Amino acid sequence: MQQEIRFATFNVFNLAPAGAKLYDNLVPCTEEEFEAKIDWTARQIDLLDADVIGFQEIFSQAALKLALSRTRNYRDAYHVGFDPDTAAERLTPSVALVSRLPLAAPGVSHALFPNGIEMPAGSRDADRFARPVVHAQVIVSPDVTVDVVVIHLKSKRPDYRTGDSCEDAQLYALACLRSLIRRGTEAVALRVLLSNLAREHQRPRVVLGDFNDVADAVTTGIVLGAGAPLGERMFDAYQLQRRQDHLRHVGFSSLHDGHYTTIDHILVSEEFNGALPNAIGEVVDVVYLNDHLVLELPQASDHGQVLARIRLFDVASTLMDAGA
């Protein structure tokens, strides 16, 4: 049985075909730029060497599949991803999951919020995630199946109304508040989704994603489930890792205007919290691949990748200890 399972999250930054119009302020990439990005992405995927990878900012699942075809180790991996409406005037980003481990069932997409969760009246798409969540059941060993959820919560980019201007401080503040409300509502919807998974299946859970906020933010705390029953809570893999070098802290996934932050996180359920009695594994360490941010490589992502290594305990011994 494989004793170490590696989970990673990878925001690829606008992975779209050459010539595709994504945003008004963004020039479509050329064929040469697209090829360079695909090659870099493929190399980075191989460098991660993770068993399961959650991806964000996939504007084309076909582009991701092309990158996978250029890897050494993921050409035959399972791919779970769903393009938004292909007939739409403009492409929109989505998430995806890639696994070298088998799946217990086909992956699914959750576009709508769980019942009872919605944005304030008058909000656009008040009943759904801006980027649908992907969920897959990954078989990590003959005895263990893990519910893996890939997410991309709303960014801090101001949500302007028609005619608004960033030159007006009040309009700018209200636009930022609307973004926060959406990210917060998505966090609540994700918390309900994770709680439902815990109650229905009682399996380990892992969340891979771009939270667009730091680990101790209110929105991230909502997803973690502070105050929830232990069986429904999640834990920040970075905080759980056994190997922590506090004198050499290089854990960041975002570099903007000289500020180093981490907004890409891996969360795990209690089964991978080695300090708890019913744990079946523990987080050995969390690694950040972020040299490309400092080097400012034009073909690279604007996010660092996060990799968590989890060591599985001997399940038979764990069950015997629990019975004792």
Side-chain angles (χ1 to χ4, degrees):
M1 181 184 80
Q2 184 172 339
Q3 294 297 319
E4 180 181 291
I5 309 298
R6 299 160 65 101
F7 293 95
T9 186
F10 187 169
N11 184 320
V12 295
F13 182 53
N14 295 344
L15 187 62
K21 180 69 174 178
L22 305 183
Y23 301 108
D24 291 336
N25 61 346
L26 184 66
V27 177
C29 69
T30 65
E31 189 65 39
E32 292 76 15
E33 290 170 335
F34 174 70
E35 286 294 318
K37 185 172 186 63
I38 291 292
D39 286 341
W40 180 86
T41 302
R43 290 194 299 271
Q44 202 73 359
I45 291 171
D46 275 330
L47 184 61
L48 277 170
D49 195 26
D51 297 293
V52 183
I53 307 175
F55 292 90
Q56 299 84 35
E57 293 200 25
I58 305 295
F59 281 81
S60 165
Q61 298 292 334
L64 176 58
K65 291 179 180 178
L66 178 59
L68 295 173
S69 74
R70 297 187 186 180
T71 64
R72 297 188 307 273
N73 303 318
Y74 296 85
R75 296 176 184 178
D76 299 319
Y78 297 90
H79 167 261
V80 180
F82 306 90
D83 280 318
D85 184 6
T86 55
E89 180 180 345
R90 182 170 295 181
L91 296 177
T92 54
S94 60
V95 303
L97 179 146
V98 171
S99 175
R100 296 189 300 201
L101 300 174
L103 305 183
V108 297
S109 174
H110 295 277
L112 297 177
F113 292 154
N115 290 336
I117 308 299
E118 62 180 11
M119 295 277 292
S123 301
R124 293 189 292 256
D125 299 324
D127 63 346
R128 64 196 62 217
F129 292 97
R131 288 159 290 227
V133 169
V134 161
H135 166 224
Q137 304 170 37
V138 180
I139 303 173
V140 303
S141 79
D143 306 295
V144 179
T145 296
V146 177
D147 286 307
V148 182
V149 176
V150 183
I151 65 138
H152 188 181
L153 299 185
K154 175 67 177 75
S155 72
K156 295 181 180 179
R157 183 179 295 112
D159 181 8
Y160 290 112
R161 297 292 189 237
T162 302
D164 285 357
S165 169
C166 63
E167 297 177 359
D168 185 310
Q170 181 172 321
L171 293 178
Y172 174 79
L174 287 171
C176 291
L177 176 60
R178 282 191 288 269
S179 291
L180 175 59
I181 291 172
R182 172 162 289 282
R183 188 165 64 259
T185 307
E186 290 184 336
V188 172
L190 182 57
R191 162 90 322 252
V192 174
L193 176 62
L194 291 168
S195 294
N196 289 342
L197 286 175
R199 295 170 187 171
E200 293 169 9
H201 304 298
Q202 297 181 335
R203 291 191 294 245
R205 286 153 292 135
V206 172
V207 179
L208 308 171
D210 178 354
F211 287 67
N212 268 308
D213 224 329
V214 295
D216 59 355
V218 171
T219 53
T220 311
I222 290 172
V223 181
L224 288 167
L230 181 58
E232 298 176 20
R233 290 183 58 192
M234 303 295 292
F235 301 88
D236 179 10
Y238 177 80
Q239 295 297 328
L240 294 183
Q241 63 179 319
R242 292 176 59 243
R243 301 175 185 172
Q244 293 198 44
D245 184 353
H246 298 290
L247 297 180
R248 187 177 178 272
H249 178 70
V250 292
F252 64 91
S253 71
S254 178
L255 175 55
H256 182 68
D257 290 339
H259 297 288
Y260 296 80
T261 59
T262 299
I263 60 176
D264 303 88
H265 308 292
I266 297 176
L267 310 184
V268 300
S269 57
E270 62 175 328
E271 289 86 354
F272 297 135
N273 184 340
L276 298 178
N278 61 341
I280 63 170
E282 64 181 353
V283 180
V284 177
D285 59 15
V286 175
V287 179
Y288 296 82
L289 279 64
N290 48 30
D291 287 348
H292 56 278
L293 298 180
V294 178
L295 296 173
E296 298 182 341
L297 302 177
Q299 71 273 30
S301 171
D302 64 344
H303 284 242
Q305 292 76 60
V306 186
L307 172 70
R309 298 169 54 229
I310 295 177
R311 180 176 70 89
L312 295 180
F313 301 149
D314 183 273
V315 175
S317 298
T318 303
L319 292 175
M320 289 177 62
D321 292 342

